[in-house]
Amino acid sequence: MRSLRRPQREKQQEKYRSELGFESGRHCLLRSVVENDCLGRRLGPRLLGRVDDSGKLVRDFYKVLNQVNAEDIPTDLKLPDSFSNLVSEMKDNQYDAKTFAFMLRAMMEKLEKEMRESKFAELMNKHFAASSIPKGIHCLSLRLTDEYSSNAHARKQLPPPELLPLLSDNSYHHFILATDNILAASVVVTSAVQSSKVPEKIVFHVITDKKTYAGMHSWFALNPVSPAIVEVKGVHQFDWLTRENVPVLEAVENQNGIRDYYHGNHVAGANLSDTSPRTFASKLQARSPKYISLLNHLRIYLPELFPNLNKVVFLDDDIVIQQDLSPLWEIDLQGKVNGAVETCRGEDEWVMSKHFRNYFNFSHPLVAKNIDPEECAWAYGMNIFDLKTWRKTKIRETYHYWVRENLKSNLTLWKLGTLPPALIAFRGHVHPIDPSWHMLGLGYQNKTSIEKVKKAAVIHYNGQSKPWLQIGFEHLRPFWTKVSQGGARFLVLGFKGLYIKSTEFVGLLKMAVVQDQLEIKFRLTDGSDIGPKTFPTATSVATLKESILSQWPKEKDNGPKTVKDVKLISGGKILDNSRTVADCRSPLCDIPGTVTTMHVVVQPPSQEKGFLIKLKLMQIKREVELVKLDNQVGWLV
């Protein structure tokens, strides 16, 4: 019986093999490079239950993959646009195993390259957004400066003459804040006063630069924080801040190479193929222009700037105070100068894991010889300084020495800002305070615990994602905006709490609308410009894009092919093609007779529109007035 059924079974199997094409190989999709036979011919028996040689099949395919991995991808290899297209081409062209493996490898490498380029572009655009000034804050400064010149209330003396002696009274709690961000300064001062149990004992010394002084003075004159006392001073009003006393910092601000490092092209000359995105992000952060601002170095001169004060608390402008800080003056620093939170231990391994090795280049012999890489770092942002003890030390001289050595070495000792030289200068002079006083990382740690934020005395938005920027973390921003006197609305309007007459405001609107022409330059993502060129206010955005296409520099790669490839951004908003130049003007900030800057993003419609595009739309760079001011600003302004 079995002998009769066996021929029938073999005949049936033969029929199956013929139908599946295992014998002929005409429909085989994969052909082994090693044995050059149809994989179906070896898969067929296994599918029909005769032989299990899956192990051999896998080993053969591994050999194919290893061979393909060791060879160069053929230059004439055409890649499908999707996996479904790949399957279709396999069926149509009967790829052998080697061709199939090459296709997979080429597609994966292409995808990895595109993802890497997108990540670097995302980081660049985030850097631009973090370095820029939102239009609302910029407009606020302009309007407050105008108030200073036209409103006597905005120019009143701060503090009143009868309170001047309290500025050097050591029985009061003296806070020092150095910033050119008016809105951020208001949050710091307001939150300190609101959280204090003894606000009548608070004295704030707000230091700003020359171009912001009038606006900063106007804000606190028009928005008093009684019963606290506020003093506003510009760096130009300190007699001690001369070129002779701070020669190293003059070199930092004026040396062309240093300015190019912080303001130049951050991608040119960089070998991105050998750089990880995280390393590139840290390098971008280190090249923030704020690091060559005198305001960022001022804290090292506090004993000289405030010769009559014995103990102060120095605050950064990206913090919010949530608890009474008066107990800080009761902390015994045990003969040390700087009371600070250490950042080498804590539950958050990303934020609280900083040692000296994270800040210095230990391949440099000067660093390796003088610094211990495992020494614990500490944080700027909220520091208690014993100025009386400080004056007996050589902290400032040590700071100057290391800044000078870093300049001589072409910035090879460290890259990141003012903390590294301070870490060296304050060695042996730091007294650790409880971490609950100062919570860090709200500007770069997206996973910050909300419960811990609520319990912290001071929360610090250190990092790129400041709460006043669109790239700030949405779940952490409310802790800042609740103090910012209507901050969200304020950022949109650009002014608030000013004594502006309605007739003056109507005049501003008319002045902006009646202009029948506007001079525009188009800023490309690499920092270069097209223009400027004058356009009638009736010109549509689509016409502007056509002008960009006709003037696009021939030497630049990846230029737009059609109007649809171009996105124009002004004031942080994407401009619709149907809008006109008149529609896109800002009635508050576009000053007649000046050049308006619009930002150009080239984005072919076929590409994915993800987070990268959103960040590109956030490129709210300095408006033309700020650019002109920046060009005019010299040392100490």
Side-chain angles (χ1 to χ4, degrees):
M1 192 69 169
R2 291 182 181 177
S3 61
L4 291 176
R5 291 180 180 177
R6 184 170 181 178
Q8 287 182 330
R9 186 168 65 246
E10 291 180 351
K11 186 176 181 180
Q12 187 67 34
Q13 290 175 349
E14 182 70 24
K15 180 181 178 182
Y16 290 156
R17 285 196 295 269
S18 177
E19 290 175 353
L20 293 172
F22 288 135
E23 289 296 318
S24 65
R26 286 180 289 113
H27 304 288
C28 183
L29 299 182
L30 299 176
R31 188 174 301 277
S32 170
V33 171
V34 179
E35 298 183 5
N36 197 30
D37 65 338
C38 178
L39 294 182
R41 191 174 289 117
R42 289 181 290 126
L43 267 175
R46 179 170 178 264
L47 293 176
L48 297 174
R50 292 172 57 188
V51 180
D52 184 4
D53 61 349
S54 58
K56 185 175 186 301
L57 174 64
V58 171
R59 289 193 298 272
D60 288 348
F61 197 66
Y62 281 163
K63 290 179 181 180
V64 174
L65 293 179
N66 289 331
Q67 182 181 0
V68 168
N69 189 49
E71 297 180 12
D72 294 332
I73 297 175
T75 56
D76 59 344
L77 191 65
K78 295 183 65 175
L79 300 180
D81 295 328
S82 64
F83 181 77
S84 60
N85 289 345
L86 174 62
V87 174
S88 298
E89 290 188 17
M90 286 174 60
K91 293 178 179 179
D92 296 338
N93 301 323
Q94 301 182 23
Y95 289 149
D96 59 22
K98 185 174 182 179
T99 303
F100 172 68
F102 266 128
M103 297 286 281
L104 284 180
R105 176 187 166 190
M107 291 180 67
M108 291 183 66
E109 289 186 1
K110 180 184 177 183
L111 178 61
E112 289 175 355
K113 182 180 179 181
E114 291 176 350
M115 291 178 61
R116 185 179 179 84
E117 289 175 350
S118 296
K119 184 62 178 178
F120 283 122
E122 173 190 321
L123 293 172
M124 277 299 302
N125 286 300
K126 190 172 184 179
H127 173 71
F128 290 147
S131 303
S132 66
I133 297 178
K135 195 164 189 175
I137 292 180
H138 175 48
C139 291
L140 166 67
S141 181
L142 292 179
R143 295 299 297 135
L144 285 169
T145 300
D146 180 66
E147 284 297 302
Y148 187 82
S149 63
S150 60
N151 187 340
H153 293 284
R155 296 193 303 273
K156 69 181 180 181
Q157 185 174 348
L158 292 177
E162 63 273 16
L163 298 179
L164 288 177
L166 301 183
L167 296 180
S168 55
D169 189 337
N170 282 295
S171 66
Y172 281 72
H173 299 154
H174 294 268
F175 294 91
I176 300 176
L177 172 65
T179 179
D180 60 356
N181 187 326
I182 299 172
L183 189 58
S186 74
V187 170
V188 174
V189 174
T190 302
S191 64
V193 175
Q194 290 178 350
S195 302
S196 178
K197 296 179 180 179
V198 284
E200 66 277 4
K201 299 287 289 184
I202 290 179
V203 178
F204 256 96
H205 306 267
V206 180
I207 307 173
T208 191
D209 55 21
K210 190 174 183 178
K211 71 176 185 295
T212 312
Y213 171 74
M216 188 75 75
H217 187 105
S218 295
W219 174 263
F220 286 105
L222 299 174
N223 297 276
V225 288
S226 181
I229 299 170
V230 177
E231 174 195 31
V232 178
K233 291 189 73 172
V235 291
H236 59 290
Q237 296 174 319
F238 285 94
D239 295 333
W240 187 87
L241 285 176
T242 63
R243 287 176 171 82
E244 291 73 23
N245 288 332
V246 286
V248 174
L249 298 186
E250 180 187 9
V252 169
E253 289 197 326
N254 293 340
Q255 183 174 322
N256 289 333
I258 303 300
R259 294 191 68 83
D260 288 343
Y261 177 81
Y262 286 98
H263 292 281
N265 190 332
H266 298 336
V267 177
N271 186 5
L272 298 184
S273 61
D274 294 335
T275 303
S276 69
R278 185 168 183 175
T279 301
F280 184 65
S282 65
K283 289 181 178 180
L284 285 178
Q285 185 178 352
R287 295 176 74 163
S288 172
K290 72 177 184 178
Y291 291 132
I292 57 172
S293 166
L294 180 61
L295 288 174
N296 208 41
H297 292 267
L298 270 184
R299 67 196 93 199
I300 206 66
Y301 304 116
L302 295 182
E304 290 76 25
L305 299 182
F306 299 94
N308 297 319
L309 296 182
N310 295 333
K311 199 172 190 178
V312 301
V313 170
F314 191 93
L315 301 172
D316 281 356
D317 64 358
D318 52 355
I319 68 162
V320 176
I321 299 167
Q322 302 185 126
Q323 296 179 18
D324 178 31
L325 298 186
S326 56
L328 293 176
W329 274 262
E330 307 302 322
I331 294 178
D332 181 6
L333 297 183
Q334 300 179 10
K336 306 295 184 181
V337 172
N338 179 6
V341 169
E342 291 184 324
T343 54
C344 63
R345 56 182 66 90
E347 294 182 11
D348 192 325
E349 295 182 358
W350 188 11
V351 177
M352 305 297 286
S353 60
K354 304 294 190 301
H355 295 77
F356 277 31
R357 65 173 180 269
N358 299 107
Y359 297 95
F360 296 96
N361 174 22
F362 279 89
S363 63
H364 195 288
L366 185 62
V367 173
K369 180 181 178 181
N370 293 279
I371 302 175
D372 178 8
E374 299 305 317
E375 190 167 346
C376 187
W378 46 269
Y380 267 149
M382 190 211 70
N383 302 83
I384 314 164
F385 288 124
D386 185 337
L387 302 186
K388 188 175 182 179
T389 304
W390 189 340
R391 295 185 185 100
K392 302 175 184 178
T393 70
K394 297 291 184 181
I395 291 174
R396 175 165 58 91
E397 290 78 4
T398 304
Y399 186 93
H400 277 180
Y401 168 80
W402 281 94
V403 171
R404 190 181 297 111
E405 290 299 319
N406 197 32
L407 288 174
K408 289 180 181 178
S409 69
N410 196 27
L411 303 182
T412 57
L413 302 187
W414 69 81
K415 297 289 187 184
L416 185 61
T418 56
L419 181 57
L423 291 175
I424 303 175
F426 281 101
R427 275 191 303 179
H429 300 290
V430 178
H431 176 74
I433 62 175
D434 193 290
S436 62
W437 283 111
H438 183 191
M439 184 175 184
L440 296 136
L442 276 71
Y444 67 90
Q445 174 56 293
N446 188 30
K447 298 180 181 179
T448 299
S449 168
I450 296 297
E451 292 304 315
K452 292 182 179 179
V453 171
K454 293 178 180 179
K455 296 177 182 179
V458 173
I459 54 176
H460 193 176
Y461 292 86
N462 58 312
Q464 290 183 321
S465 301
K466 303 299 185 188
W468 54 82
L469 298 175
Q470 286 181 290
I471 59 175
F473 299 129
E474 291 296 333
H475 63 296
L476 299 176
R477 183 180 286 119
F479 294 94
W480 186 84
T481 55
K482 69 181 181 182
V483 188
S484 65
Q485 302 187 18
R489 173 172 166 264
F490 192 21
L491 287 173
V492 175
L493 295 178
F495 66 96
K496 178 177 179 290
L498 306 180
Y499 302 138
I500 303 176
K501 298 177 181 179
S502 59
T503 54
E504 293 175 350
F505 184 68
V506 172
L508 283 171
L509 294 177
K510 287 182 178 179
M511 181 176 64
V513 173
V514 297
Q515 304 297 318
D516 58 357
Q517 287 188 327
L518 189 65
E519 193 172 18
I520 303 173
K521 64 181 178 181
F522 303 100
R523 178 68 49 82
L524 308 184
T525 54
D526 63 358
S528 62
D529 294 329
I530 295 177
K533 184 178 179 180
T534 301
F535 296 90
T537 53
T539 304
S540 69
V541 171
T543 302
L544 295 182
K545 293 181 179 181
E546 291 174 355
S547 177
I548 293 171
L549 287 175
S550 65
Q551 300 180 71
W552 190 269
K554 295 181 179 179
E555 67 276 7
K556 295 187 181 297
D557 298 329
N558 301 322
K561 305 300 181 184
T562 67
V563 169
K564 294 181 179 180
D565 296 344
V566 180
K567 297 188 186 302
L568 273 182
I569 303 168
S570 181
K573 295 182 179 179
I574 187 169
L575 305 182
D576 187 83
N577 287 342
S578 61
R579 302 287 296 279
T580 65
V581 169
D583 296 332
C584 302
R585 300 184 61 179
S586 166
L588 291 177
C589 292
D590 285 344
I591 301 175
T594 60
V595 179
T596 296
T597 301
M598 293 185 178
H599 299 276
V600 179
V601 173
V602 177
Q603 180 66 33
S606 61
Q607 294 188 12
E608 289 289 329
K609 297 180 180 180
F611 184 57
L612 172 62
I613 299 303
K614 293 181 181 179
L615 286 175
K616 285 183 177 178
L617 300 183
M618 293 176 192
Q619 292 180 27
I620 312 169
K621 290 187 177 180
R622 296 170 177 80
E623 298 298 322
V624 62
E625 298 84 14
L626 186 63
V627 174
K628 293 178 68 177
L629 285 170
D630 185 61
N631 292 334
Q632 296 170 0
V633 169
W635 187 75
L636 291 183
V637 285

